[in-house]
Amino acid sequence: MPESASAPLSPAAGLDEAERRADGRRIRAMFDAVAPRYDSMNDVMSFGIHRLWKRKVRRMAGKPRGRGLALDLAGGTGDIADLMADKGWAVVVCDPSQGMLEAGIKANAGPRVRWVSGAGEALPFPDRTFDVVTLGFGLRNMTDRKGALAEVLRVLAPGGQVLCLEFSTPWRVIRPAYERYSRRTIPRLGAAIARQPEAYQYLVESIGAFPDQETLAGWLRETGFIDVRYRNLSLGIAAIHVGARPADA
Ligand SMILES: C[S@@+](CC[C@H](N)C(=O)[O-])C[C@H]1O[C@@H](n2cnc3c(N)ncnc32)[C@H](O)[C@@H]1O
């Protein structure tokens, strides 16, 4: 069973505390509901491409260094954690959805990793704990994204790296086809496979509202990360942003 770590959420920009808590509860409940079919839905919706993107995260993370400790934040069913564990990282998955964690314990990394219940806005870990933090399709779902990035910086060891894999702004040439696919096909697949059309409607809307590559790079710099860069995946449909905690911070 996941360990419990229900720390309070930090104050939000734009939303008051009560709205933020209500939003967080709604998002958690949505992931609890999709959890049993989450992995298969990802395979169908992305034609399996999400697995290639996640392997790219692992390649960019490289071999274990420092104490070899990795945090897979918003780790969900733990497929990134599983890949990182294959490379020899000691991995902690942290996610607030009990349903996602339980599905992951059954399906993916199981006992190879440590499973912790917690939210990105108030990470239940001491300062300077991890050598790398992976964050796959998680930042978009957080109610205080900049607060969560500050938390990631806090729990990274000096010189440690964050790798944030997220949907982004695709190249202009594929935008019309991509938008048609997102708006028409994804909610239908969500209804047919996951039986949760609202969750996949939310997915489409949250992707559309998420900042583009340069804006997210700016957020990382503002938070205090250095050596910030990003790599577009599949013509910018997704991107991996990388940033480091300064070695002397
Ligand atoms: C789209 S899933 C991504 C799961 C996995 N990382 C992947 O790449 O497939 C988003 C995850 O973010 C989690 N999540 C939602 N709100 C969160 C928060 N405030 N802090 C951390 N994780 C959160 C959800 O429970 C869910 O497991």
Side-chain angles (χ1 to χ4, degrees):
M1 287 293 287
E3 298 160 38
S4 172
S6 51
L9 297 178
S10 58
L15 289 180
D16 72 25
E17 178 83 6
E19 287 171 323
R20 172 192 299 285
R21 282 178 183 276
D23 254 17
R25 274 196 300 275
R26 187 177 52 80
I27 292 170
R28 258 197 314 280
M30 190 187 72
F31 280 106
D32 283 343
V34 300
R37 294 187 184 83
Y38 175 80
D39 287 331
S40 6
M41 182 63 192
N42 271 355
D43 285 335
V44 172
M45 205 171 52
S46 76
F47 310 103
I49 291 169
H50 76 107
R51 294 185 183 272
L52 303 179
W53 295 343
K54 289 169 180 170
R55 285 200 192 111
K56 184 85 187 164
V57 169
R58 176 179 66 182
R59 267 203 302 283
M60 288 170 74
K63 293 194 185 130
R65 55 191 171 277
R67 290 186 302 156
L69 207 51
L71 170 65
D72 186 24
L73 175 57
T77 58
D79 49 358
I80 294 179
D82 210 19
L83 292 170
M84 295 289 283
D86 279 346
K87 281 284 167 200
W89 287 94
V91 192
V92 177
V93 173
C94 179
D95 195 288
S97 158
Q98 209 69 7
M100 292 292 275
L101 293 174
E102 281 165 15
I105 290 168
K106 279 192 211 138
N108 291 317
R112 295 209 303 161
V113 306
R114 199 178 137 212
W115 302 83
V116 172
S117 170
E121 293 88 341
L123 289 173
F125 307 107
D127 297 357
R128 302 170 172 225
T129 301
F130 298 99
D131 302 292
V132 71
V133 175
T134 54
L135 176 49
F137 303 112
L139 191 59
R140 189 169 29 85
N141 298 297
M142 295 183 190
T143 51
D144 179 6
R145 293 161 182 171
K146 290 184 181 177
L149 291 177
E151 278 291 89
V152 170
L153 187 69
R154 179 183 69 74
V155 302
L156 273 174
Q161 268 191 329
V162 63
L163 291 106
C164 175
L165 166 63
E166 193 46 273
F167 288 108
S168 204
T169 301
W171 296 1
R172 203 175 287 276
V173 62
I174 61 157
R175 264 182 230 166
Y178 176 68
E179 273 168 23
R180 260 198 315 280
Y181 177 72
S182 304
R183 300 211 169 271
R184 291 190 197 158
T185 312
I186 290 180
R188 285 182 195 159
L189 289 175
I193 297 168
R195 294 175 213 145
Q196 297 289 333
E198 300 83 14
Y200 286 89
Q201 187 60 43
Y202 159 83
L203 169 72
V204 173
E205 283 164 14
S206 67
I207 292 172
F210 195 70
D212 66 11
Q213 289 85 337
E214 281 301 325
T215 306
L216 180 52
W219 286 7
L220 285 162
R221 290 188 191 102
E222 277 168 33
T223 304
F225 287 96
I226 59 166
D227 299 333
V228 174
R229 61 192 187 282
Y230 61 85
R231 179 159 304 181
N232 280 314
L233 303 169
S234 307
L235 309 182
I237 288 175
I240 300 172
H241 281 71
V242 184
R245 178 171 176 155
D248 54 359

